[in-house]
Amino acid sequence: EQATARRKDAHLDLCATGDVEPAENSTLLEYVRLVHCAMPEMAVEEVDLSTDFLGKKLRYPLLITGMTGGTERAGVVNRDLALLAERHGLAFGVGSQRAMAENPQAGASYQVRQVAPTVPLLGNIGLYQAVELGVDGVRRLADAIGADGMALHLNAGQELTQPEGDRDFRGGYQVVEDLVRAFGSRLLVKETGCGIGPEVARRLVELGVRNVDVSGLGGTSWVRVEQLRATGVQAQVGAEFSSWGIPTAAAIATVRRAVGPDARLVASGGLRTGLDAAKVLALGADVAGMALPLFRAQQAGGLEGAEQALATILSGLKQALVLTGSRNCGELRQKPRVIMGELKDWLAAL
Ligand code: FNR
């Protein structure tokens, strides 16, 4: 359990200041252009981005995706970012609750309900830890923090780059099926930066999963994070695979096409601006997710720093709606957009 906590703090240090977003990786959102409307005929204050998520109302279709927990430092990150979500009407997820499952005393760092009583809150556990804990164990983790839903994270790429990581990925869909039975529409399945493609998404939705976060390539790379901690073979293979994955723009567009209009889709992985968020909403996401930019803003400037970063994101998002002449996400999705270059190749292949 000490090892889990130590690994978590090493991860936070690397994510705060390390080179965890390889420059050669891309979301491919630069190959999406929303089309300017010279006569918007609307006011900024008319933009209405509210939506439902996990049975609650969001003022903005944004999720601060699961990052941390298990140490005191992680507790501060969770409370600051959850408070930010509460103030602005966003959703929030805690990081992997593995540390808390191993050591109940670590649980305090995941408790955010005091500062965020009304946010849609997601718990978090890895697919293979869910096997060890069993359905009841996972349910206890969600209940212990008053979560509205549970995020199940997939991270085969990270595990293979981690010396102590999993090597056997059989039986995953069975676990998902069991969790669907327990959580129903409160279950969300997410990747961690390598992307969920249309094939896997379709199978998940067929099993009854209602919420999918594609978490694609182009932002924080967990293969890179582990590569920076690894030595020998793992470090070398990690370097080889640090650009592995389905770019976020390709993942969200093809997954929406594959699963139809009913599934709730989050797009995350490398979104850094309000305009990035607008682009994934146009491509089919119901909610845009971000991790690293808000974490870094919080680490550099505390709650105030995170407030400023979020203000810039929200302002860019609203501006994108006005300049496309869209009052809401439904209208934005109907507007023309230009898809270029490598993204076109992905859309043709998947
Ligand atoms: C993460 N991420 C993550 N995901 C998860 O499901 N459980 C976890 O415990 C963590 N831990 C974590 C820590 C930190 C510091 C970061 C930055 C990220 C992954 C995260 O939720 C997201 O899927 C990816 O980081 C991609 O989004 P960004 O960071 O590119 O916006």
Side-chain angles (χ1 to χ4, degrees):
E1 69 202 37
Q2 291 307 327
T4 303
R6 252 200 318 276
R7 189 168 62 235
K8 285 279 143 192
D9 264 344
H11 283 160
L12 287 191
D13 281 332
L14 281 168
C15 287
T17 54
D19 173 25
V20 298
E21 300 182 280
E24 62 275 21
N25 291 2
S26 169
T27 59
L28 300 186
L29 285 169
E30 69 274 24
Y31 290 113
V32 180
R33 295 275 199 279
L34 304 179
V35 179
H36 178 60
C37 171
M39 294 277 276
E41 285 291 325
M42 61 177 287
V44 175
E45 65 176 27
E46 283 181 277
V47 171
D48 176 5
L49 288 166
S50 63
T51 189
D52 294 325
F53 189 58
L54 302 170
K56 286 183 170 170
K57 259 259 165 328
L58 294 180
R59 238 181 312 146
Y60 293 99
L62 295 179
L63 165 65
I64 302 172
T65 66
M67 284 182 268
T68 197
T71 63
E72 242 169 80
R73 176 182 175 193
V76 176
V77 173
N78 276 336
R79 285 188 296 275
D80 277 359
L81 295 182
L83 177 58
L84 193 68
E86 180 74 28
R87 283 181 183 167
H88 297 276
L90 323 180
F92 178 78
V94 298
S96 171
Q97 292 176 265
R98 178 181 190 168
M100 169 178 177
E102 291 172 354
N103 171 18
Q105 276 174 352
S109 59
Y110 296 88
Q111 300 294 349
V112 299
R113 273 302 183 208
Q114 270 196 332
V115 294
T118 71
V119 297
L121 175 65
L122 278 164
N124 189 296
I125 197 73
L127 178 61
Y128 295 92
Q129 280 100 59
V131 177
E132 288 166 27
L133 290 167
V135 169
D136 285 336
V138 177
R139 207 194 326 248
R140 273 195 294 277
L141 289 178
D143 291 344
I145 63 166
D148 298 292
M150 194 70 193
L152 182 70
H153 72 253
L154 316 178
N155 66 340
Q158 178 186 10
E159 294 291 342
L160 289 175
T161 317
Q162 205 173 294
E164 67 274 34
D166 284 316
R167 293 289 180 272
D168 180 352
F169 303 106
R170 290 174 289 190
Y173 286 111
Q174 184 58 56
V175 181
V176 170
E177 213 177 332
D178 295 343
L179 288 170
V180 164
R181 218 168 292 127
F183 284 93
S185 61
R186 304 197 314 137
L187 182 70
L188 176 144
V189 179
K190 74 187 287 287
E191 240 285 344
T192 44
C194 289
I196 292 178
E199 236 8 86
V200 169
R202 193 180 299 116
R203 273 193 81 175
L204 292 172
V205 168
E206 277 167 12
L207 289 177
V209 174
R210 307 299 304 136
N211 311 281
V212 175
D213 178 350
V214 298
S215 190
L217 182 73
T220 310
S221 162
W222 282 92
V223 176
R224 170 63 64 95
V225 173
E226 297 300 348
Q227 178 215 329
L228 294 171
R229 296 173 59 235
T231 52
V233 172
Q234 242 113 31
Q236 288 180 38
V237 180
E240 196 179 321
F241 280 81
S242 65
S243 297
W244 179 266
I246 306 170
T248 298
I252 188 61
T254 58
V255 167
R256 176 55 80 193
R257 199 163 61 188
V259 301
D262 294 341
R264 298 294 283 174
L265 298 183
V266 180
S268 70
L271 309 190
R272 298 295 175 260
T273 65
L275 181 54
D276 286 342
K279 286 178 177 179
V280 295
L281 294 168
L283 291 175
D286 296 297
V287 172
M290 291 188 195
L292 194 69
L294 293 168
F295 170 70
R296 284 198 163 163
Q298 188 278 342
Q299 290 289 289
L303 179 57
E304 192 46 44
E307 272 287 1
Q308 281 173 23
L310 181 65
T312 306
I313 290 162
L314 293 180
S315 160
L317 175 56
K318 282 185 272 193
Q319 181 153 329
L321 268 93
V322 173
L323 291 183
T324 54
S326 319
R327 278 172 186 73
N328 53 53
C329 289
E331 290 185 10
L332 176 65
R333 271 198 213 170
Q334 302 303 315
K335 303 290 177 187
R337 82 284 316 251
V338 184
I339 307 281
M340 300 173 287
E342 190 187 334
L343 180 56
K344 236 179 170 167
D345 297 338
W346 279 91
L347 300 193
L350 298 192

